[in-house]
Amino acid sequence: ALRWRPVRILIASPFYPPQAAIASTRVHAHATTWAAAGADVTVLTTEKRDDQREAPRESPGVRVEEVAFDAPWPFDRLRSLRAPAPAA
C-alpha cells in the first residue's frame, strides 16, 4: 500500500518578511499558501538588518531559517548613501 507523504518545499530567497519589499510579499504568499495546503515548507533567507525589519508577518506552518550574509563592500557602500526615510 502506498502512503501519502507531504510535499517538502525549500524556498531559498534573500527576500522574506520582515523586509518590506514586493518580492518578500510574493515569497511569503507562496510559502503560506503551500503550507496551508499541507506541504512541509522551509524558507532559507538572509539575516535581516535592523533597517530591513519594517514589515513583520506571521508565517503559519512555515519554518524560516535565517543565515548570516555579509554583502560585498560596494553594496554596503551604496546602502550607506541611501537617503534616510522622512520623519513621521
Side-chain angles (χ1 to χ4, degrees):
L2 293 175
R3 287 190 189 191
W4 180 83
R5 292 190 318 205
V7 173
R8 296 174 67 194
I9 299 172
L10 173 64
I11 302 172
S13 174
F15 301 103
Y16 200 77
Q19 187 176 10
I22 191 65
S24 296
T25 303
R26 199 171 292 129
V27 173
H28 179 265
H30 287 299
T32 55
T33 299
W34 288 327
D40 177 13
V41 181
T42 301
V43 175
L44 182 64
T45 188
T46 54
E47 198 171 66
K48 305 303 181 245
R49 299 183 319 270
D50 288 339
D51 66 327
Q52 292 176 317
R53 296 189 175 277
E54 301 162 347
R57 289 198 179 176
E58 293 296 318
S59 297
V62 178
R63 188 174 70 213
V64 179
E65 298 289 336
E66 288 188 347
V67 294
F69 175 76
D70 291 325
W73 70 266
F75 295 117
D76 274 339
R77 176 73 178 129
L78 287 173
R79 269 192 214 117
S80 69
L81 298 175
R82 185 172 74 168

